[in-house]
Amino acid sequence: MPQSSHSAVHWPRRRYRAVMEMMDEAAQLAGECAIVRQAVALAGWVGPEGKALTRAGVLRKPAVAAACTAIGIRAPERFRSAADVPGLHRPWTAALALGVLAIDDDRATAGLELDGWPGEADSTGCWLDALRAVCGDITGGAADASLGLLVLAQALLRSLSAGIGLSSREVIDVAQAIADERGLGLMQVHVLGGMSALSGGFLTDQVKSLLGLLVEFGAVTAGKKPAVTPLGAWAMERLDADLPRAVGPGAEAAEAITAVAMAAAADRWHIAQGWLGGRKSADAVRELLEAADPLPAWLRDAAATMAAMTGEDGLPGWHAIAGNAAAWPNSARLALAELYDWGRAPEPSPEGRGWLGAEEAAAALLAQGEAWAAGQGPDEALCRLWEAAGGGPLEIGALLAMVRATGHPEAEAVAVAVAEFAESGAALTAAQVVDLKVTLWRSSPSLWRTVRMPLAATLGDLHRGIQVLFGWDGDHLHAFTVAGLRYSDPLFDLEETADEEAVRLRDAFPATVRKPVRYEYDFGASWVHEITRTGSSSVTPGEAVPRCLSFSGDNPVEYWNEDEPADPEPFDMAKVNATLVN
């Protein structure tokens, strides 16, 4: 008995010490793994003076050989750009995620985190950010496939830990089991998409590429008998905690709202469907908005997002809330705005638009999701207020006065945060413009326009601008492709396509990534445009934007008929610019 008692008393302490030792070892492996060492070496080679980049945001071809030498790999004999050299491009992507490398328009420089890296940084957390970034790059930025690739990574680590076989089929089965544990059966397509992006075909009986990636990241040992390292064990636990989990129909509305609010935008539909499917659409809308009324704006935003998933069937629920402002004062305003979008209520008054702007600003400021993690909370809040005021020249004082006059429960918190951000010296998206070159594919001679747009404008705004720039009549469907994701007008109800009004040019054309954006108009004729960022600047007082800056070629003939050929319409810049600003 004494021995047993002694052992029971000291086991938790030994267990705690073992866990701490594993954490220390994981942190050391995170800072010393092959891809992180290469990322740091690459940033050191770039140095404070920096290196010039292509329009796609990668090293210019003549610099690739020296960059490869700097990180200890051999450059291939033939390649189109640095992005075609995985051994170089993956450390480059990791370096950007770690903060040891920075990009400003057409130049890369050593980042602020390079000196003494990792220093004060959470090396394991930074390591996971780098892994996520590389997975995103492998899948072309497609959020669903990137999530599937992370699930596959967790599945491979589980398989190694449990001694399960490592064929693609076996690893995919474990990945699907992980998805099923979370009630996310539809994640299977993400898993297969992730495997396809990684290995070029998910039916091949191998996981060599995925295993090699985890070896580079120090999560798995190299050799004929790979094993999970302490860093890999930490990653398994962290990924398990971070992966989304669906909400069951028996959950309370507040629990469902919180789960959706904490999830990435791409996962929200999957997380909410089980809960929504367990009740009538109108009842679901009422439950959500009643529960959300006293909650912070960022949770109310998630509730409204869930409620909107019910579509037209949920309209009676929106009507019920809108008609009882005394009981649900905050949610009633959101309901009236939703009904206006459906053509079932009058347009909000200027006071109502101000309140909605404050609501959206508060949601952007306090949300714990992707935008906040990217440091865009205050900037996005300012953009929401700028939109609510009708755009135009940025006047901070007027926006703050508008917020405080709304009576919104979080008005003062928003005003203080926005004022502090505006005084911080940080670049304000609402005070900047971006120059974009829009080129029509396969046009001969080359047909293009450059346009200056507010950086806070949305992809929907850009769509309307392109229609004017090229003289399109607007009678056909369209879609943008940004980093592998498709966006369009939600009224089109296109499959696997998100809302173009929810994406700002700030995010579609970041200075740190120079990949072109694709815009396709008329899916039958397939008028495809390539859009690249050429620069940005502060708004010039009195300057009218949007504005066409330069062009090449007249407007194309939209409806060509070889029996009745028509001449292209001459491009009239003055007329175009007058239309763009109206």
Side-chain angles (χ1 to χ4, degrees), residues 145-429:
S146 180
L147 174 63
L149 193 51
L150 288 170
V151 173
L152 281 166
Q154 188 187 20
L156 180 56
L157 292 170
R158 274 197 190 184
S159 299
L160 283 173
S161 297
I164 300 173
L166 293 182
S167 70
S168 291
R169 184 69 265 166
E170 288 167 317
V171 173
I172 288 174
D173 287 344
V174 175
Q176 188 56 46
I178 293 171
D180 291 341
E181 290 170 8
R182 289 161 169 74
L184 298 171
L186 290 175
M187 193 186 285
Q188 182 175 10
V189 67
H190 305 343
V191 169
L192 298 184
M195 180 64 85
S196 179
L198 182 69
S199 62
F202 56 78
L203 296 179
T204 55
D205 189 22
Q206 60 172 324
V207 290
K208 183 177 180 181
S209 297
L210 180 57
L211 191 61
L213 179 65
L214 294 177
V215 168
E216 284 184 73
F217 272 91
V220 173
T221 59
K224 294 183 178 180
K225 295 184 178 181
V228 176
T229 68
L231 180 57
W234 174 86
M236 271 196 294
E237 292 186 8
R238 179 63 181 269
L239 288 173
D240 186 65
D242 289 352
L243 288 173
R245 189 179 298 275
V247 183
E252 296 289 334
E255 181 183 347
I257 291 168
T258 302
V260 168
M262 297 297 290
D267 302 327
R268 288 183 166 187
W269 188 88
H270 299 304
I271 291 172
Q273 286 308 296
W275 190 90
L276 292 172
R279 49 200 32 86
K280 293 181 179 179
S281 294
D283 293 340
V285 172
R286 284 198 301 270
E287 281 186 55
L288 290 166
L289 296 183
E290 288 175 5
D293 191 81
L295 298 178
W298 70 282
L299 290 174
R300 204 157 43 240
D301 177 70
T305 298
M306 284 186 70
M309 294 177 189
T310 63
E312 191 170 6
D313 291 341
L315 288 180
W318 292 100
H319 276 290
I321 296 297
N324 197 352
W328 322 112
N330 297 316
S331 292
R333 289 179 180 266
L334 298 181
L336 285 170
E338 179 71 13
L339 292 172
Y340 167 71
D341 290 341
W342 281 93
R344 309 292 179 88
E347 182 179 2
S349 65
E351 181 273 335
R353 289 197 300 272
W355 190 95
L356 292 169
E359 172 83 350
E360 292 182 357
L365 181 65
L366 300 177
Q368 303 300 305
E370 295 164 302
W372 182 261
Q376 294 172 358
D379 189 44
E380 179 60 22
L382 181 55
C383 288
R384 302 290 178 90
L385 298 180
W386 174 79
E387 285 178 328
L394 181 63
E395 298 181 4
I396 300 295
L399 294 183
L400 298 180
M402 179 190 74
V403 171
R404 290 189 166 106
T406 62
H408 188 280
E410 297 171 55
E412 187 59 26
V414 169
V416 170
V418 168
E420 290 178 350
F421 176 66
E423 295 169 359
S424 69
L428 311 180
T429 294

Side-chain angles (χ1 to χ4, degrees), residues 430-452:
Q432 296 180 73
V433 291
V434 61
D435 295 342
L436 304 173
K437 183 176 182 179
V438 187
T439 303
L440 187 66
W441 277 13
R442 305 184 186 93
S443 56
S444 181
S446 179
L447 200 163
W448 53 264
R449 321 281 189 239
T450 58
V451 61
R452 177 164 292 170

Side-chain angles (χ1 to χ4, degrees), residues 527 557-568:
W527 297 101
V557 178
E558 184 166 354
Y559 301 104
W560 175 258
N561 185 334
E562 62 180 13
D563 295 327
E564 298 180 7
D567 294 327

